[in-house]
Amino acid sequence: EMSSSNTNTGGPSASAPAAATPAASGEEEEDEGDSNTLLTVHSVDLLKSKDGPNRREHHTEAYFSDKLIIRRGQTFQMWIEFSRPFNPKSDLIFPCLGCVFGTEPIFSRSTGIHISVPLVDVLEDGRWEMKIVEQKDKRVRLAVNTLPTASIGRYKVTVDSFSPKGKLLFPCTPNDVYMLFNPWCEDDPVYLDNEAERKEYVLNSMGKVYYGTEQQIGTRTWNFAQFEQDILEACLFLLERGQVAMTEWRDPVIVSRMVSALVNSNDDYGVLMGNWKDSYEGGTSPTAWSGSGDILRQYYKSSGKPVKFAQCWVFAGVTNSVLRCLGIPTRCVTNFSSAHDTDLSLTTDIYIDEKLEIIKDKTSDSVWNFHVWNESWMTRLDLPAGYGGWQVVDSTPQEPSQGSYRCGPTPVSAVRNGQVNLKFDTPFVFAEVNSDRIYWQKKPDGSFSQVHVEKNSIGQRISTKAVGSDARVDITHLYKYPEGSEEERIAVERASRFGSKPTLYPSPTGNDVSVEIVMDGTGPRIGGDAKLSIVLKNKSSNQRTASLLYEVMVMYYTGVLKSTVKKGQIPVTLKPSEQKKTGEYMKHLVDQGALMLAVTGRVNETRQILATQFNFRLRTPDLIITVRDAVVGKELTVKITFQNPLSQVLRNVLFRIEGLGMQSIRKIAYG
């Protein structure tokens, strides 16, 4: 970062590289105080106590470790004591963070992360920066900004000090810093905007796991233990075994997928060995575990020897612990009558012979009484808008995914709509919750034909623990539309076309009807009405009839769907070659920001499925700025006009003003 060729004559500044180069022999310049002596770092205090401001503000005071544990995208503070008073005109400091892998700083490797944090006058979000906020004699207090997309993990801190006399490096041993995901930071992909949900899905270390059958649901209490001694260290040790570069540890999609593979031991010496047999000799029965702490500590202290034994709820409990510990909002979910599709048909296939007896060696699909997995909350920047939010992460080893026993993250919203072409492992999860159970009978010539279909037996009473209480909440509606509804049938048939038996359902005989959504002008404003039009076009020479289902949903800008504003059904009749436009009005929309209109339907005559989505946002009022008499060297008057578009009083209005030459943001609390 330092440049020795500097011809700046405008005087040294806090970031002027010239101040860091040693003065030439015999031409030592005079500086204020003792600044012509070497600047040495005597000590660094990372303010890491559990009841101190860093740990409290970063919601990490519950972790047992006495190290500094911070969440990315948020400022933390530290004190540095020097050999003499720090002179901002001629001295420079650069705290450096290097990721640690095992016992070695990672920046010594080719995959390394080594961050030098620059000193600035004003901190800005989304950057590695630091600012001096207090100076006492030989000590300075720094506020350090971290990147909201920084790699999580363990960092070692060093401080480079530069003065006219030269440069010194101060290693801050044993001052390790642990960096975690930050659900409190709006720019972090794991951001969750509800404090009660953050407390439940990140900070709660006790939970409920459901088991049994849909008629007889049992409850286990589980201690996730994510803040206990050695658990954070065990979780990072686990990630190190994932053979994924630490530069990828910034992405919750990659980290959660990696954890789903590493919690089972099938192909990577992960945490737990599965056992669904009657004997648990040489290990612990899966029903004996009541928490994750002992499992993770045993794995960590044995340097990675798989712990025996686990079944689905144990895999899910440990996965929940690891992801919550790392800062990803996560919950345990139980699916009753859970299908295991082995042939990617997206159906649960049962084969019977001419005597109606099951052909066991051909019937490889199965239905579990219950199956427990996890959901983690994150934005999916790798997918189209609308697929962020809850993602299925399943570490129970059932089927290999891209060569490894892992599953997810799978967007729950994609499962609901049958969009199984979206990654990861959506066909498998779809089959678990919404496959049809199809009976195939063997014919005399050896082939099979469908003889019976059960359309509503798979995926019942999908359950998770409530926020803030021990009640059970049914979330089946997040995974599928009501059984037997037109939306649900469309989802099943859409999904089946991507499976290994795409001709299972009658294919549409024609694709002669098109559907699109159009918006008037530049779109609706906050407080106003929205009008969208659905345009249908019949390209055939015959009449077509259809029933359209529409739903308007609130969507965060990150693509996470939040709630439904309006839904309904529109019957449509199209004459030959007719185009028809139907308008949808939404009155007085407030507070929503971004929305999505989703339309699905089926043409009755041809069985063609119609589907389209349209994202739109509510425009905020313009700020009108007018300037009078701008003259060099004279005070400038600016008029800012804003009109409240709502029929209610706006309170605590704050104007934030910044411009070239203003140095920092000005705030006007208007009230």
Side-chain angles (χ1 to χ4, degrees):
E1 306 87 20
M2 311 312 296
S3 167
S4 56
S5 56
N6 190 307
T7 56
N8 178 15
T9 58
S13 69
S15 58
T21 55
S25 176
E27 294 183 299
E28 210 164 88
E29 60 186 71
E30 289 187 21
D31 282 300
E32 297 173 17
D34 296 326
S35 58
N36 60 347
T37 60
L38 198 64
L39 183 71
T40 308
V41 176
H42 277 188
S43 66
V44 173
D45 181 1
L46 292 176
L47 302 172
K48 56 189 180 180
S49 68
K50 293 179 189 177
D51 57 354
N54 279 339
R55 295 276 295 261
R56 272 202 325 271
E57 289 167 12
H58 287 252
H59 307 92
T60 60
E61 64 269 34
Y63 287 88
F64 180 88
S65 172
D66 60 1
K67 299 284 196 296
L68 177 59
I69 304 169
I70 59 173
R71 298 190 187 275
R72 64 187 193 172
Q74 197 171 331
T75 302
F76 70 94
Q77 303 203 357
M78 59 191 280
W79 280 97
I80 301 179
E81 184 175 4
F82 299 103
S83 55
R84 59 168 173 79
F86 178 79
N87 182 357
K89 289 186 178 178
S90 57
D91 298 331
L92 271 178
I93 46 172
F94 276 99
C96 300
L97 288 86
C99 245
V100 180
F101 193 94
T103 57
E104 292 298 315
I106 195 71
F107 53 76
S108 63
R109 303 178 177 212
S110 59
T111 55
I113 299 171
H114 185 198
I115 301 134
S116 290
V117 184
L119 187 64
V120 297
D121 293 328
V122 180
L123 291 179
E124 294 183 33
D125 290 342
R127 299 185 185 183
W128 285 100
E129 291 177 334
M130 66 176 179
K131 174 187 175 183
I132 295 175
V133 290
E134 188 178 354
Q135 190 161 355
K136 284 185 177 178
D137 193 25
K138 299 177 184 178
R139 300 171 72 222
V140 296
R141 182 161 60 95
L142 298 170
V144 182
N145 232 7
T146 61
L147 208 59
T149 53
S151 290
I152 63 160
R154 183 160 60 104
Y155 288 79
K156 283 209 176 297
V157 179
T158 58
V159 177
D160 290 345
S161 60
F162 299 83
S163 62
K165 281 289 185 182
K167 167 186 171 181
L168 283 175
L169 178 73
F170 181 81
C172 308
T173 39
N175 282 337
D176 290 347
V177 175
Y178 289 92
M179 182 108 66
L180 307 177
F181 291 107
N182 193 353
W184 284 265
C185 172
E186 290 188 27
D187 295 322
D188 193 311
V190 303
Y191 172 64
L192 188 57
D193 72 347
N194 183 299
E195 179 62 16
E197 291 181 358
R198 290 191 292 249
K199 285 180 177 173
E200 181 67 53
Y201 300 133
V202 182
L203 301 180
N204 194 355
S205 54
M206 295 296 289
K208 301 289 183 184
V209 180
Y210 302 99
Y211 64 95
T213 68
E214 60 256 40
Q215 289 85 20
Q216 299 165 300
I217 296 177
T219 307
R220 287 181 176 277
T221 299
W222 196 266
N223 177 16
F224 299 121
Q226 70 265 39
F227 304 123
E228 289 184 6
Q229 186 171 6
D230 296 325
I231 300 304
L232 176 56
E233 292 82 354
C235 293
L236 294 175
F237 168 75
L238 182 63
L239 291 190
E240 288 174 12
R241 297 176 71 87
Q243 299 180 322
V244 171
M246 289 192 78
T247 49
E248 303 286 3
W249 291 19
R250 69 190 59 178
D251 186 348
V253 174
I254 292 171
V255 169
S256 59
R257 184 156 175 77
M258 188 162 55
V259 168
S260 81
L262 291 166
V263 168
N264 70 69
S265 67
N266 280 42
D267 38 36
D268 46 21
Y269 297 101
V271 179
L272 284 160
M273 186 179 293
N275 185 344
W276 284 266
K277 296 173 183 169
D278 292 331
S279 170
Y280 304 113
E281 195 174 333
T284 302
S285 164
T287 55
W289 300 112
S290 59
S292 310
D294 289 346
I295 294 169
L296 285 166
R297 270 188 292 269
Q298 183 179 326
Y299 181 74
Y300 177 52
K301 290 180 175 176
S302 68
S303 299
K305 186 177 177 185
V307 177
K308 302 174 181 177
F309 290 104
Q311 291 181 7
C312 65
W313 67 91
V314 186
F315 287 114
V318 171
T319 300
N320 216 67
S321 302
V322 172
L323 294 175
R324 281 190 187 180
C325 182
L326 298 176
I328 300 175
T330 306
R331 62 189 186 184
C332 289
V333 171
T334 301
N335 178 39
F336 294 96
S337 293
S338 187
H340 181 175
D341 176 25
T342 57
D343 63 358
L344 297 178
S345 65
L346 281 77
T347 55
T348 303
D349 300 306
I350 298 167
Y351 294 89
I352 56 176
D353 57 21
E354 293 94 328
K355 299 175 183 175
L356 305 182
E357 292 181 2
I358 291 176
I359 306 172
K360 292 186 174 65
D361 60 351
K362 188 165 178 63
T363 303
S364 55
D365 293 349
S366 60
V367 179
W368 298 25
N369 281 349
F370 73 98
H371 180 45
V372 188
W373 59 66
N374 304 88
E375 286 177 0
S376 291
W377 181 272
M378 65 192 72
T379 297
R380 289 298 299 270
L381 299 174
D382 56 327
L383 295 179
Y387 297 102
W390 290 116
Q391 313 285 316
V392 172
V393 178
D394 189 351
S395 57
T396 299
Q398 293 185 89
E399 294 293 323
S401 169
Q402 296 176 328
S404 177
Y405 278 91
R406 57 189 169 183
C407 181
T410 311
V412 173
S413 54
V415 173
R416 188 174 192 240
N417 292 321
Q419 284 161 313
V420 297
N421 53 317
L422 298 173
K423 61 188 179 183
F424 293 89
D425 308 306
T426 314
F428 185 79
V429 177
F430 180 89
E432 286 182 301
V433 300
N434 205 12
S435 54
D436 287 348
R437 200 187 311 221
I438 299 185
Y439 290 80
W440 301 83
Q441 188 171 27
K442 192 172 186 179
K443 295 197 288 193
D445 65 359
S447 63
F448 286 85
S449 63
Q450 280 186 54
V451 291
H452 181 63
V453 180
E454 289 178 5
K455 295 186 175 181
N456 57 3
S457 62
I458 302 299
Q460 302 292 318
R461 301 185 76 178
I462 303 173
S463 302
T464 192
K465 177 189 169 301
V467 172
S469 81
D470 288 338
R472 181 185 69 85
V473 177
D474 192 309
I475 57 169
T476 309
H477 63 284
L478 298 181
Y479 281 84
K480 53 186 180 178
Y481 294 100
E483 289 285 3
S485 68
E486 184 73 355
E487 297 107 316
E488 188 260 350
R489 284 292 92 199
I490 288 173
V492 170
E493 294 183 28
R494 178 192 288 145
S496 77
R497 297 203 172 102
F498 290 95
S500 59
K501 298 173 181 170
T503 57
L504 206 54
Y505 297 92
S507 291
T509 53
N511 283 299
D512 47 30
V513 177
S514 67
V515 59
E516 68 170 330
I517 300 167
V518 295
M519 180 171 66
D520 291 353
T522 54
R525 293 179 177 272
I526 281 186
D529 301 342
K531 187 194 175 188
L532 300 177
S533 298
I534 302 166
V535 180
L536 290 139
K537 206 177 287 182
N538 179 6
K539 296 177 241 174
S540 78
S541 54
N542 299 304
Q543 178 174 290
R544 296 286 183 246
T545 59
S547 178
L548 290 183
L549 305 154
Y550 70 89
E551 186 170 8
V552 181
M553 291 162 282
V554 179
M555 188 174 73
Y556 294 112
Y557 76 96
T558 53
V560 178
L561 295 174
K562 185 179 179 184
S563 59
T564 297
V565 175
K566 186 179 181 182
K567 64 190 299 185
Q569 197 163 349
I570 307 169
V572 177
T573 300
L574 294 169
K575 295 172 186 168
S577 304
E578 182 185 10
Q579 176 173 312
K580 188 171 276 187
K581 191 175 184 181
T582 62
E584 266 316 306
Y585 285 92
M586 287 144 280
K587 296 279 189 185
H588 308 304
L589 292 172
V590 178
D591 213 22
Q592 273 90 15
L595 297 102
M596 173 193 282
L597 170 60
V599 175
T600 55
R602 189 206 304 273
V603 179
N604 297 321
E605 291 79 8
T606 63
R607 314 305 290 161
Q608 177 192 349
I609 290 175
L610 303 170
T612 187
Q613 291 180 339
F614 185 79
N615 298 337
F616 64 104
R617 71 180 180 89
L618 302 180
R619 293 179 57 210
T620 51
D622 294 326
L623 284 167
I624 300 165
I625 301 174
T626 49
V627 179
R628 296 174 190 159
D629 305 325
V631 179
V632 172
K634 288 196 175 181
E635 191 175 86
L636 176 67
T637 302
V638 176
K639 182 183 176 187
I640 302 165
T641 307
F642 170 81
Q643 183 168 357
N644 177 5
L646 305 182
S647 57
Q648 63 196 70
V649 175
L650 296 178
R651 302 185 188 279
N652 303 318
V653 172
L654 178 71
F655 289 90
R656 294 165 56 93
I657 304 163
E658 60 179 316
L660 289 172
M662 289 181 63
Q663 305 306 322
S664 60
I665 293 174
R666 308 278 172 89
K667 297 179 184 177
I668 301 172
Y670 190 83

